[in-house]
Amino acid sequence: MFLSVFDVFKIGIGPSSSHTMGPMTAANRFLALILSDEWPRPAGAAVAQLKVSLHGSLAFTGIGHGTGRAVILGLTGERPDLVDPDAMDAIIDTVEKAGTVTPPGHPSYLFHPAEDLVFDKKNPLPGHANGMTFSAFDNQGRLLIKRIYYSVGGGFVVTDTELEAIKQRGKSIDNGPRVPYPFGTAREMLDMAARSGRTIAQMKRANEETVVSREELNERLDQIWEAMNGCIERGLKVDGIMPGGLKVRRRARSIYEKLNAEWRSNRLNPVMANDWLSVYAMAVNEENAAGGRVVTAPTNGAAGVVPATVRYFRHFHEDATIDDVRDFLLTAAAIGGIIKHNASISGAEVGCQGEVGSAAAMAAAGLAAVMGGSPEQVENAAEIALEHHLGMTCDPIAGLVQVPCIERNALGAVKAVTAASLALKGDGQHFVPLDACIETMRQTGNDMSEKYKETSTGGLAVNVVEC
């Protein structure tokens, strides 16, 4: 099994990898399909109008997650990794006024978002909670093309047929190239590490270098960290009220200013390390909630945990190097790939245990690795972090990735550091294997009520409003 570090960490925009980045990518795929020869084109037929319907979690929380906006942007040809967040409102306003989209390389297509973009809460699609249907018609209203796409977490998008093939063969989305260390479970990872004498980061690097050169790998890892750190920096400089109607106030900047004052005063604060860790995570997720540039880690809703833990490590460990950051990301991606392969990172599929829980496991593993942990201690750190997120629901108030999501990232980072510390105090031997914990997360997600899986129909999303 091979899932690239750059599939786990993807640069995009907020507020959601599955509900924003995924639908935008699906729209891009549908546009490419229109220009291809992959559909039976009747003689003289030409696409004139587009329609989209959103289902399941995308329908229930799509407005708060910006799903409709993402679809519109995607149909204009914008991509999650390249779209200018400052230009998005103007692009959407133009489409809504004109009733057309004109993506590069295409003619203009009729598309009135008010009528042609439907949030269908009554008819979920069978493959996954995040389903959407794209349709193209000619100027006589005849259906020419119809495709179902599923946004399966972390910005990954598959068609219904691709998803069925994945389920049939029991493999991950990207089987990828032949690699020297094709571990698909934590047990396999540890066995390969023991036989090779390599660290998890070294094995992951060897796998990645079957696809790219060492220089390109390092350059792209540095770009991921620069994007993560840049997101922290932006989040620490902005205050005010976040969009969406809840009137949630951004707090990272004010907390950061207080921490800086304490840092300069040299006053003893027994919780200062946790405070720094938390403010870094909150800065990222406030940026995400505002629709800014973020990196999936492994999702947008959990994007703050890994960057906060890396920044914390660099803040409190003066000898930290860029090579440490690279090893951190490689190790974290190895753990994230195992979780995705054997369970899920989608809040709509397994709840927030699959998002912040996975992120905490990844961050704990990365930190344990750069602190000198053995592969067994790294696996233990990931297990501790994930175990203590089991059963966590996804119940965002008003469908916005704000409450409880922002603070939840802060607590996820704190748990990650604690898990790494506990693991490093031991010898790597522990009672619950990471594989068993991942399987438990998968089973728990299957048993969890749909109202607690990113539908905003239960939990805090209901009770806070009722109060």
Side-chain angles (χ1 to χ4, degrees):
M1 189 277 291
F2 175 74
L3 190 68
S4 173
V5 61
F6 305 111
D7 289 325
V8 177
F9 299 120
K10 296 191 288 291
I11 299 173
I13 57 167
S16 172
S17 51
S18 60
H19 288 56
T20 311
M21 291 172 59
M24 193 183 301
T25 299
N28 295 159
R29 289 193 61 176
F30 191 66
L31 290 177
L33 175 63
I34 291 173
L35 295 182
S36 75
D37 296 323
E38 297 177 15
W39 56 282
R41 191 186 305 267
V47 173
Q49 183 176 14
L50 307 178
K51 294 187 178 184
V52 181
S53 59
L54 304 171
H55 303 263
S57 178
L58 296 180
F60 280 101
T61 63
I63 294 177
H65 283 56
T67 305
R69 291 168 54 84
V71 169
I72 296 169
L73 290 166
L75 290 179
T76 66
E78 296 289 349
R79 288 173 37 186
D81 57 333
L82 297 177
V83 63
D84 179 359
D86 294 329
M88 294 190 300
D89 287 344
I91 295 170
I92 293 167
D93 184 61
T94 298
V95 172
E96 290 176 338
K97 289 178 178 177
T100 61
V101 290
T102 310
H106 293 252
S108 290
Y109 302 126
L110 292 174
F111 183 72
H112 295 85
E115 296 87 30
D116 297 330
L117 178 57
V118 177
F119 290 79
D120 185 349
K121 298 180 180 179
K122 295 182 179 179
N123 301 294
L125 297 177
H128 190 278
N130 294 332
M132 58 199 122
T133 300
F134 286 73
S135 303
F137 302 82
D138 67 11
N139 57 13
Q140 302 298 315
R142 293 180 300 179
L143 178 65
L144 298 178
I145 318 171
K146 181 178 180 179
R147 284 292 185 276
I148 294 174
Y149 297 98
Y150 292 106
S151 181
V152 294
F156 288 95
V157 172
V158 293
T159 65
D160 52 349
T161 54
E162 289 168 346
L163 182 62
E164 184 59 31
I166 291 165
K167 290 180 177 179
Q168 288 295 323
R169 66 177 182 262
K171 299 294 183 180
S172 64
I173 289 171
D174 183 7
N175 292 308
R178 294 179 63 86
V179 294
Y181 303 101
F183 51 84
T185 67
R187 182 68 267 162
E188 291 174 353
M189 178 182 72
L190 292 178
D191 289 345
M192 291 179 190
R195 290 196 299 269
S196 68
R198 292 191 170 196
T199 66
I200 294 169
Q202 288 169 341
M203 292 192 298
K204 184 65 175 168
R205 176 176 283 279
N207 288 346
E208 297 288 340
E209 289 177 359
T210 63
V211 180
V212 298
S213 68
R214 173 156 297 206
E215 293 73 19
E216 183 179 351
L217 177 61
N218 286 340
E219 181 180 346
R220 293 181 66 186
L221 287 171
D222 294 348
Q223 289 172 350
I224 292 295
W225 169 239
E226 287 167 8
M228 287 179 169
N229 196 47
C231 187
I232 293 174
E233 288 297 320
R234 291 192 303 274
L236 294 176
K237 294 175 182 176
V238 182
D239 54 18
I241 304 298
M242 284 180 288
L246 288 182
K247 299 182 179 180
V248 174
R249 181 169 52 88
R250 296 180 73 141
R251 293 179 289 160
R253 177 178 174 176
S254 63
I255 295 172
Y256 176 66
E257 290 173 348
K258 292 175 183 177
L259 288 174
N260 264 328
E262 289 184 2
W263 187 265
R264 289 191 296 269
S265 71
N266 290 320
R267 292 197 305 269
L268 178 64
N269 178 350
V271 295
M272 179 174 282
N274 275 356
D275 288 344
W276 282 106
L277 187 60
S278 297
V279 78
Y280 292 147
M282 290 174 66
V284 171
N285 283 84
E286 287 178 358
E287 275 294 290
N288 179 63
R293 178 78 62 205
V294 295
V295 179
T296 62
T299 66
N300 283 25
V305 178
V306 168
T309 309
V310 177
R311 180 76 175 254
Y312 160 88
F313 171 69
R314 300 196 77 183
H315 188 146
F316 288 98
H317 295 266
E318 294 180 355
D319 296 332
T321 67
I322 190 61
D323 284 331
D324 290 326
V325 174
R326 294 165 182 164
D327 285 347
F328 190 116
L329 295 177
L330 288 166
T331 305
I335 299 300
I338 290 172
I339 295 172
K340 182 169 179 59
H341 180 63
N342 295 290
S344 175
I345 58 171
S346 169
E349 196 169 20
V350 296
C352 199
Q353 59 176 351
E355 296 205 31
V356 171
S358 297
M362 293 163 59
L367 182 60
V370 297
M371 292 289 290
S374 66
E376 290 78 13
Q377 288 172 315
V378 169
E379 184 261 359
N380 188 15
E383 188 282 324
I384 294 170
L386 183 60
E387 178 182 329
H388 298 290
H389 284 87
L390 290 177
M392 181 175 284
T393 60
C394 183
D395 52 352
I397 296 174
L400 298 168
V401 192
Q402 297 178 13
V403 182
C405 316
I406 295 169
E407 288 182 353
R408 187 167 284 177
N409 274 259
L411 271 293
V414 170
K415 285 185 182 181
V417 171
T418 303
S421 180
L422 285 172
L424 291 170
K425 298 297 190 294
D427 60 3
Q429 302 301 308
H430 57 105
F431 193 76
V432 179
L434 175 58
D435 289 328
C437 191
I438 292 171
E439 173 59 16
T440 301
M441 191 252 283
R442 187 192 67 80
Q443 293 176 7
T444 303
N446 286 344
D447 293 339
M448 189 180 291
S449 169
E450 293 299 315
K451 66 183 181 180
Y452 299 121
K453 293 195 286 189
E454 208 167 358
T455 60
S456 292
T457 57
L460 289 175
V462 175
N463 289 308
V464 170
V465 174
E466 291 179 347
C467 293

